[in-house]
Amino acid sequence: MVRTPDPTRQRDAERSDAQLDMLHSFAVKLNVLTDTVEIGNTITAELRTIVDYHNCRVYVLQDETRLMPIAFRGELTTEYAEEDLDTLITEIGEGITGTVAATREALLTPDAREVAFSVTIPGTDDDLLESMLAVPMVAGDTLVGVIVLSSLGYGMFDDEDQRMVEVLAPHAAAAFHNASLLEAERDAARAAGALLQLSQSLTGRHTTTEIFRDAIESMETIIRCAATAAYVRDETGAFRVIQLHGCGGRTVRPRAEIADVPATVADTFLTSTAPFVIPQAIAAQVPDDVRIMEASGDVLVCPLQWEPGEVGALIAVGDPGGEPFDEAAVRLARGIGDLTALALGNARRIGELERFHRLVESLDAVFWEAEADGLLVTFLAGRVDELYGADAPAWLDRPWGEHITDADRALAVAEVRRAIAEGTDASVEYRVGAPTGDGRWLRDLVTVVRGSHGPRQLRGLTVDVTERRHAEQTLRESERKYSEAFLREREAAERLRALDEMKNTFLEAVSHDLRTPLTSILGSALTLEQSGLEMPATDALDLVHRVAANARKLERLLGDLLDLDRLQRGIVSPQRRATDIGALIGRVLAEVENPDGRPIDVEVGLLTANVDGPKVERIVENLVANALRHTPPETQVLVWAHAVDGGIEIGVDDAGPGVPADVRESIFEPFEQRPGPTSGHSPGVGIGLSLVRRFAELHDGRAWVEPRDGGGSSFRVFLPNT
């Protein structure tokens, strides 16, 4: 018997083959694409081959709150023929697209009108029957965007369509993510290239006008802005605009109509040499006569200082309503400012050297002749009295060199004799005593005149090079000063990088320690809310206990942060009272968080000390929490205290893995974390041990860690009993 093929099964098979071919084609195409618009158009085109839709839109997340459509494909016969990109911009949580982005869960509906949170796009029919399929694009834990398919009619998409788009979405998300990384690299490369081009351009500039012009025109190619300007402080302290540039053909006011910025106003902003941003709200308060354009957004200011007393600033004005200047723009402005300041300093030094050369060329000289054998001077002419003094004619028939100071004479005479021996010219510089009593620097250009039997005569030209020597000394001092300034800037940059790393570490740790209890609190509260309190009392009480426990965690974390801040600012002083140390340790252990329920041994006798009880409780609490967090559950923990000479010593010992010698000091620094993989708990924020040390120092004591006999660590605190 011959079976008749099942048309439905055959269509499904053909559809499956088409989907596999499409996925293969899609992956191959995305591997070579680096532009987000190209990627979006590729998605809409490839989906068309396997899904029958009337409209396809690809959204990409921007500014963490808005979904921007970067690809749009639809049939002219639909109601979407009049859509434009501005109409399709969607906020997170708005409509079907925004909700899918917020929940990161796909949505398939046979009739979009039946979705409670759907939003009708302006310009379309409110009663339009339309099927919709929206799938989020997620790369790792990062939302990238949303793919939205629409089709006129009821139930035009099925589960197979949804599965297909969900398989496609991660590939698209990865492509968009890679494209954004490449775009960031391209932006960085463009900025670096523009800075290099600016550096090369400024190298050939020798006037402040040329340097400022190149600097503000280059800012447009490096930082997105509407206008740029250069200001220089005049002798009154006011800042006067000397260069203006409208970016992208924008109009700026004539320079003559722009008033100077008074010193009293400028000095409140230019408190340092670091670039900074004036927000649009504050910039809007600037008087009209000072504005360089009618309306503006944020203002980016880059202060300049290239010589003592020489101060100015580069200004970049943002578009009204445009994106604010970010940290990258501030860093680029610093680079532009550094190059400009360096060029201005070099231009000034070059100008000084050029003036020096003109000075040298205008000077008269002394001409002299001497015998090659004994260096006896036979002729003097020129500015003899001015350079050598009134007794210079008496030098005739005396050896050349006797007029030179003792410190320089031997070296100068040796150089002249070398020139005679080698038959070459020589140039020597030396000091002489001047008629006024002040020393002068002279330079002799010596020529050896040769006869048939060898050198027979010397001819010299003497010029005064005192001014040049002083200029060279000034230049060396200036170079040394700028070298020191550069080293200071580099050290400051390194400190800022270290602070930035500490900030990032702190934010990561604090965000985790805040998010974890908050998540538990929110989950328990939502459960109670959704149940309407209609649940067994034991379950409800358990949820309440969890809320309370996690709230206490948050309270302790915030308390630690506030205590660290107060200690760093030095506004905390100990309130000493006679305190029973054993009872204090007992109270701490009764309340300390012990998730594994492990036993904690205590060795404390009758011990009383004059200390700040709450601060010592925090010391013990943090030391115990540190031991529980960084040791395996089966590890023994011992808390002890005893009297020592001059005070008391409190310790927490554990038999854990121990603390490496190279970090025994650094772990007491704020936000320094020591991973605790063996305990299975979070490494924490990194401030507990820092508080231990600071509370100990508040008592004029100290805190440290040392190896424990038999393995493990012994954290100890000494508190003087004053």
Side-chain angles (χ1 to χ4, degrees):
M1 181 177 65
V2 178
R3 287 188 177 180
T4 302
D6 185 348
T8 301
R9 180 175 299 176
Q10 183 175 356
R11 285 195 302 271
D12 290 343
E14 292 174 352
R15 181 181 183 185
S16 179
D17 291 340
Q19 290 174 346
L20 291 175
D21 292 340
M22 178 269 180
L23 280 176
H24 177 72
S25 172
F26 179 76
V28 171
K29 290 181 179 180
L30 288 187
N31 283 337
V32 299
L33 296 180
T34 60
D35 181 76
T36 55
V37 175
E38 287 186 276
I39 295 171
N41 290 332
T42 299
I43 294 171
T44 61
E46 293 295 323
L47 278 174
R48 173 68 84 184
T49 64
I50 59 166
V51 179
D52 184 17
Y53 65 75
H54 280 84
N55 186 279
C56 178
R57 302 184 296 280
V58 178
Y59 292 84
V60 172
L61 181 65
Q62 289 188 359
D63 303 331
E64 299 183 356
T65 59
R66 295 191 302 172
L67 293 164
M68 303 295 294
I70 53 94
F72 172 72
R73 184 184 295 265
E75 294 184 4
L76 296 178
T77 57
T78 71
E79 293 291 334
Y80 295 98
E82 301 300 325
E83 281 187 344
D84 55 47
L85 295 182
D86 291 337
T87 305
L88 296 175
I89 295 175
T90 302
E91 298 290 332
I92 294 292
E94 176 187 4
I96 291 177
T97 303
T99 301
V100 168
T103 62
R104 302 191 184 187
E105 294 182 358
L107 185 145
L108 172 62
T109 175
D111 186 352
R113 298 173 303 179
E114 298 177 352
V115 179
F117 48 79
S118 66
V119 176
T120 302
I121 297 174
T124 61
D125 187 355
D126 291 346
D127 198 33
L128 183 67
L129 176 57
E130 181 181 39
S131 304
M132 289 192 68
L133 171 59
V135 177
M137 295 183 291
V138 180
D141 295 330
T142 303
L143 176 69
V144 176
V146 180
I147 300 173
V148 181
L149 300 177
S150 304
S151 187
L152 298 180
Y154 184 86
M156 303 305 293
F157 303 117
D158 57 19
D159 293 340
E160 184 65 21
D161 295 326
Q162 178 178 339
R163 186 189 67 80
M164 185 60 193
V165 180
E166 287 178 338
V167 172
L168 179 147
H171 295 281
F176 281 122
H177 185 66
N178 292 335
S180 65
L181 294 177
L182 289 173
E183 181 62 25
E185 292 180 0
R186 284 194 292 265
D187 289 343
R190 284 194 294 268
L195 286 174
L196 177 60
Q197 184 176 1
L198 174 61
S199 176
Q200 294 170 340
S201 171
L202 294 180
T203 301
R205 304 303 186 189
H206 296 157
T207 66
T208 56
T209 301
E210 294 174 331
I211 292 170
F212 278 124
R213 184 193 63 223
D214 286 1
I216 65 172
E217 290 180 356
S218 296
M219 289 184 77
E220 176 185 7
T221 65
I222 300 173
I223 301 172
R224 184 179 301 172
C225 53
T228 57
Y231 285 79
V232 171
R233 187 171 66 183
D234 61 18
E235 61 278 0
T236 67
F239 278 75
R240 177 171 303 163
V241 61
I242 62 169
Q243 291 282 343
L244 281 171
H245 176 66
C247 305
R250 295 177 178 86
T251 302
V252 294
R253 296 176 58 192
R255 192 172 63 180
E257 298 180 4
I258 302 175
D260 296 346
V261 180
T264 54
V265 176
D267 290 344
T268 60
F269 290 100
L270 302 178
T271 56
S272 71
T273 58
F276 58 91
V277 176
I278 301 176
Q280 182 175 358
I282 297 178
Q285 303 173 18
V286 173
D288 291 339
D289 61 347
V290 180
R291 297 176 181 272
I292 66 175
M293 56 191 315
E294 294 302 326
S296 68
D298 292 353
V299 178
L300 175 56
V301 181
C302 180
L304 301 175
Q305 183 171 348
W306 57 96
E307 287 288 340
E310 298 289 346
V311 179
L314 299 178
I315 307 295
V317 179
D319 273 317
E323 295 184 2
F325 294 113
D326 55 14
E327 291 297 327
V330 174
R331 288 195 299 270
L332 291 171
R334 179 186 291 275
I336 297 171
D338 290 344
L339 292 174
T340 304
L342 181 61
L344 291 168
N346 289 337
R348 175 162 183 161
R349 289 191 290 273
I350 291 173
E352 291 176 350
L353 288 175
E354 290 176 346
R355 288 192 296 272
F356 162 74
H357 285 301
R358 290 193 296 270
L359 175 65
V360 171
E361 291 172 357
S362 67
L363 292 176
D364 293 330
V366 172
F367 303 92
W368 57 269
E369 291 182 354
E371 296 177 354
D373 291 336
L375 300 184
L376 296 177
V377 178
T378 58
F379 176 79
L380 283 173
R383 296 178 55 198
V384 177
D385 292 348
E386 295 182 32
L387 297 186
Y388 295 149
D391 62 341
W395 295 356
L396 294 174
D397 298 327
R398 293 170 60 184
W400 180 91
E402 290 187 358
H403 62 298
I404 302 175
T405 58
D406 295 341
D408 299 338
R409 183 182 302 125
L411 186 60
V413 171
E415 180 65 17
V416 170
R417 292 194 179 280
R418 183 197 61 76
I420 295 172
E422 297 178 0
T424 59
D425 295 340
S427 175
V428 294
E429 293 187 7
Y430 51 84
R431 285 165 291 182
V432 298
T436 59
D438 297 329
R440 287 177 177 266
W441 277 95
L442 302 181
R443 181 184 183 189
D444 272 7
L445 303 176
V446 182
T447 300
V448 179
V449 181
R450 301 182 66 85
S452 57
H453 301 288
R456 62 180 182 85
Q457 191 180 44
L458 301 177
R459 289 177 180 170
L461 174 67
T462 304
V463 294
D464 189 344
V465 295
T466 304
E467 293 294 334
R468 194 210 71 198
R469 279 282 188 164
H470 290 168
E472 289 177 347
Q473 182 179 359
T474 301
L475 182 61
R476 285 193 296 270
E477 292 175 354
S478 178
E479 290 174 344
R480 178 180 55 79
K481 178 191 66 178
Y482 278 99
S483 176
E484 293 173 352
F486 173 76
L487 291 176
R488 288 195 299 271
E489 288 291 335
R490 186 170 63 182
E491 291 172 356
E494 291 174 353
R495 288 195 297 271
L496 286 176
R497 281 194 294 271
L499 288 173
D500 188 60
E501 291 176 0
M502 180 181 291
K503 176 204 69 176
N504 292 336
T505 302
F506 165 72
L507 290 177
E508 291 174 3
V510 170
S511 64
H512 178 275
D513 274 36
L514 285 174
R515 187 182 296 112
T516 300
L518 278 176
T519 300
S520 179
I521 291 173
L522 181 60
S524 300
L526 287 175
T527 301
L528 289 170
E529 180 184 37
Q530 293 170 358
S531 69
L533 298 179
E534 294 181 0
M535 61 168 59
T538 55
D539 293 343
L541 185 60
D542 178 65
L543 290 175
V544 171
H545 287 329
R546 293 185 183 184
V547 170
N550 283 284
R552 284 192 291 271
K553 288 182 181 179
L554 288 176
E555 182 184 27
R556 284 196 297 273
L557 174 59
L558 294 176
D560 285 347
L561 292 173
L562 292 174
D563 284 341
L564 182 61
D565 176 66
R566 287 192 290 263
L567 288 166
Q568 289 178 329
R569 289 190 287 149
I571 60 175
V572 180
S573 59
Q575 305 297 318
R576 295 178 179 269
R577 292 182 179 83
T579 303
D580 184 341
I581 302 301
L584 181 150
I585 292 175
R587 288 194 302 272
V588 172
L589 296 182
E591 298 179 1
V592 73
E593 181 181 359
N594 189 354
D596 299 319
R598 75 171 85 174
I600 301 175
D601 297 329
V602 180
E603 291 183 3
V604 182
L606 295 175
L607 181 61
T608 301
N610 189 28
V611 296
D612 187 326
K615 302 296 188 298
V616 177
E617 287 183 4
R618 298 293 298 282
I619 290 174
V620 177
E621 177 186 2
N622 282 318
L623 288 179
V624 173
N626 180 71
L628 296 176
R629 180 183 293 116
H630 294 288
T631 59
E634 67 278 4
T635 303
Q636 177 186 4
V637 175
L638 170 65
V639 182
W640 54 267
H642 55 74
V644 296
D645 187 19
I648 64 170
E649 194 169 296
I650 300 173
V652 175
D653 296 357
D654 65 71
V659 180
D662 58 339
V663 298
R664 288 175 187 163
E665 280 299 316
S666 63
I667 60 174
F668 288 96
E669 295 297 323
F671 314 124
E672 286 290 335
Q673 298 173 329
R674 181 163 60 97
T678 56
S679 66
H681 300 306
S682 163
V685 178
I687 59 177
L689 292 180
S690 175
L691 286 174
V692 168
R693 171 163 286 183
R694 291 175 184 267
F695 281 141
E697 292 172 348
L698 190 66
H699 286 79
D700 297 324
R702 65 189 186 96
W704 72 99
V705 60
E706 60 186 49
R708 170 182 170 273
D709 293 339
S713 302
S714 178
F715 285 83
R716 303 187 177 192
V717 174
F718 168 73
L719 302 176
N721 193 10
T722 57

